[in-house]
């Protein structure tokens, strides 16, 4: 069960019921395997369905190797060069007013005004360094709309044949070498735009790095073309409460006309950011910007995904045993996210799907709309997953995001063992003090641990004597007093040693105490390592029976 501030329960369908509708896409230009993708052909976007496949694969995370496996690198970085091919159907001689090569080229990149180059640079944090394009004037396709199954009332069409035909009619005058992807602009309306990964041939022998997209004449919008480009970059539709393509916080999750309050005068509705896990998949959020919650309690600051300057984490991840990991992000009304419904923390979990990278927005109300208070976690609210012993509390708002406290299971327990050699030293004798620590709940995660020891007046510290074994387990923050941090303590023991000499003036038996403080999570454990200066070892006789 899941709760917001306790008594409101999320329906069980949130975590147990998922929509699986699958189609097959071919991605030979990227990987030599075929892929079955889940897809809901509705709203205004689609993907191709070149041949039938089993629509209900057993494993939602890896459909028998028919989808991109989790962990497969699909990063999109650097410059991206597009070939824009303008094609008209054999039975439609007219073209939309103003739809010239310059019009389409400047949709992708222009000196001033909104364009796809500026959009993808912001969304990728400049990991995509440029979107460039060349647009090629109208050519006539060899077939009518009916041949392609293309009609104003048809939510889908034979996109692979259509795009290949468009490439073929342009091939005599276009050199396709140097292009990463193809965008086909059409001269007739359709309810959907469609992306495909089926391989496309050309006389130049060029292999396109990404997929191809087709845009009907009623879809010449920045937000929609950005959405289809996302598909070409191997991004799937996201969901809300298990409902595919119903996530208004994601440009890949909702209709492109969403909150079109300030449209560009030339290219209509602007896009907005995609969600954090998609950015991780594409290599736009770095490992340093991801907080993976350890066992226990952690407090962190998240910056909004659309913020121009990032100084904190961009996403928090909570790993869950069943694979439905949580991804927590902050959204603020900045940049292309200015059109969103409000500033809030969002929670997604892994959902699976036709790109093996679809994610599900959690809306506590359990019903649309999914840009209301049910999806927006704000200051003072707590999301609770009782089954997995997880809590996410929004502590406060910052100028650029939110402060969160995440509790991922019970605080860990660290076991500590102390010893000294020699335990009964004489004056002027050097003693090695040893602290051995390990995390007894290592199967649930790791925790950062700090060990601080205090040198008493009866001892003189031996310079630079603090060591860690194994050395890679942590860092020595201070030699005197000895302070060590172990950032990822696990079940394997870590030994911290330092040396000190008993002062000359101690001649009588004297107990010398070395305080040891072990801090992890919200826990502080205090110990004492004791030696007896000028003490005597006691030996007990062994009596052998004759």
């Amino acid at each position: 069960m899941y709760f917001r501030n306790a008594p409101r329960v999320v329906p069980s369908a949130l975590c147990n019921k998922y929509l699986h509708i699958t189609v097959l896409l071919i991605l030979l230009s990227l990987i030599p395997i075929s892929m079955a993708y889940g897809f809901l052909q509705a709203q205004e976007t689609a993907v191709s369905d070149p041949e039938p496949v089993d629509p209900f694969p057993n494993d939602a995370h890896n459909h028998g190797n028919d989808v991109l496996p989790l962990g497969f690198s699909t990063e999109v970085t650097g410059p991206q060069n597009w070939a824009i091919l303008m094609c008209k159907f054999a039975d439609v001689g007219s073209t939309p007013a103003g739809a010239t090569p310059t019009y389409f080229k400047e949709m992708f990149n222009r000196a001033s005004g909104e364009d796809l180059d500026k959009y993808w640079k912001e969304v990728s944090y400049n990991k995509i360094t440029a979107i460039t394009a060349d647009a090629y004037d109208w050519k006539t396709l060899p077939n009518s709309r009916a041949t392609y199954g293309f009609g104003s009332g048809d939510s889908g069409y034979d996109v692979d044949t259509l795009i290949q035909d468009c490439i073929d009619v342009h091939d005599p005058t276009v050199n396709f070498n140097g292009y990463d992807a193809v965008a086909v602009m059409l001269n007739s309306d359709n309810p959907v735009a469609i992306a495909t990964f089926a391989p496309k041939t050309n006389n130049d022998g060029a292999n396109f790095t990404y997929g191809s997209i087709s845009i009907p004449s009623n879809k010449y919008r920045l937000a929609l073309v950005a959405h289809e480009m996302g598909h070409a970059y191997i991004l799937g539709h996201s969901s809300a409460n298990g409902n595919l393509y119903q996530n208004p916080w994601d440009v890949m999750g909702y209709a492109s006309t969403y909150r079109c309050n300030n449209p560009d005068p030339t290219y209509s509705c602007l896009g907005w950011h995609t969600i954090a896990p998609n950015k991780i998949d594409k290599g736009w959020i770095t490992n340093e910007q991801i907080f993976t919650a350890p066992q226990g309690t952690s407090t962190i600051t998240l910056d909004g995904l659309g913020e121009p300057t990032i100084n904190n984490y961009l996403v928090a991840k909570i790993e869950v045993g069943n694979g439905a990991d949580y991804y927590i992000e902050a959204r603020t009304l900045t940049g292309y996210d200015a059109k969103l419904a409000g500033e809030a923390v969002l929670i997604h979990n892994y959902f699976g799907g036709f790109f093996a990278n679809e994610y599900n927005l959690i809306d506590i109300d359990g019903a649309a709309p999914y840009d209301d208070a049910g999806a927006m976690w704000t200051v003072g609210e707590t999301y609770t997953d009782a089954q997995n012993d997880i809590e996410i509390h929004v502590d406060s708002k910052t100028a650029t995001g939110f402060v969160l406290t995440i509790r991922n299971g019970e605080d860990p327990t660290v076991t500590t063992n102390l010893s000294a050699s020699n335990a009964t030293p004489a004056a002027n004798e050097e003693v090695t003090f040893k602290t051995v620590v390990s995390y007894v709940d290592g199967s649930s995660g790791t925790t950062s641990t700090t060990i601080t020891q205090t040198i008493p007046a009866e001892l003189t510290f031996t310079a630079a004597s603090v060591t860690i074994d194994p050395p890679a387990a942590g860092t020595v923050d201070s030699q005197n007093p000895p302070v060590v941090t172990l950032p990822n303590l696990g079940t394997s023991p870590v030994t911290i040693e330092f040396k000190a000499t008993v002062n000359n003036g101690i001649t009588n038996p004297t107990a010398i105490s070395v305080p040891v403080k072990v801090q992890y999570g919200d826990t502080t454990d205090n110990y004492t390592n004791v030696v007896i200066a000028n003490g005597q070892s006691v030996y007990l006789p062994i009596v052998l029976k004759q």
Side-chain angles (χ1 to χ4, degrees), residues 34-239:
S34 63
M35 299 170 289
Y37 294 125
F39 165 65
L40 181 63
Q41 202 168 55
Q43 303 297 328
E44 62 174 4
T45 65
V47 295
S48 67
D49 183 10
E51 60 185 73
V53 295
D54 176 8
F56 300 106
N58 294 325
D59 184 355
H61 291 80
N62 190 346
H63 301 171
N65 293 322
D66 287 330
V67 297
L68 289 175
L70 291 177
F72 181 86
S73 177
T74 60
E75 294 187 357
V76 180
T77 58
Q80 310 295 323
N81 193 24
W82 285 72
I84 305 172
L85 308 180
M86 301 157 62
C87 280
K88 55 185 179 179
F89 294 98
D91 59 332
V92 183
S94 63
T95 59
T100 65
T102 299
Y103 172 86
F104 290 118
K105 181 178 175 65
E106 291 189 347
M107 174 187 285
F108 280 66
N109 191 316
R110 58 178 170 165
S112 61
E114 298 296 342
D115 59 30
L116 293 163
D117 173 65
K118 297 179 184 67
Y119 171 79
W120 284 110
K121 284 178 179 177
E122 178 178 310
V123 169
S124 71
Y125 310 111
N126 291 309
K127 300 296 193 305
I128 292 177
T129 55
I131 297 288
T132 55
D134 296 303
Y136 298 95
D137 211 349
W138 296 102
K139 299 284 186 181
T140 301
L141 293 166
N143 297 304
S144 66
R145 288 173 295 178
T147 302
Y148 300 108
F150 189 103
S152 59
D154 299 325
S155 294
Y157 45 89
D158 183 359
V159 64
D160 290 310
T161 301
L162 190 157
I163 290 180
Q164 186 62 63
D165 283 352
C166 187
I167 290 174
D168 291 344
V169 297
H170 277 278
D171 211 351
T173 56
V174 176
N175 183 349
F176 286 99
N177 285 302
Y179 291 113
D180 298 292
V182 170
V184 170
M185 302 297 175
L186 300 168
N187 71 327
S188 185
D189 292 359
N190 195 274
V192 297
I194 304 183
T196 177
F197 294 102
K200 300 294 175 282
T201 61
N202 56 85
N203 291 331
D204 306 305
N207 292 315
F208 303 120
T209 305
Y210 305 108
S212 304
I213 65 176
S214 58
I215 310 297
S217 58
N218 57 326
K219 305 293 185 183
Y220 300 162
R221 291 190 291 274
L222 282 171
L224 183 136
V225 178
H227 177 108
E228 294 306 315
M229 291 173 74
H231 284 323
Y233 292 149
I234 319 177
L235 287 175
H237 292 146
S238 61
S239 306

Side-chain angles (χ1 to χ4, degrees), residues 6-30:
R8 300 172 61 194
V9 181
V10 174
S12 60
L14 242 175
C15 57
N16 296 326
K17 295 184 180 178
Y18 298 98
L19 177 62
H20 297 289
I21 304 176
T22 309
V23 299
L24 179 67
L25 293 138
I26 310 299
L27 187 56
L28 296 181
S29 62
L30 292 174

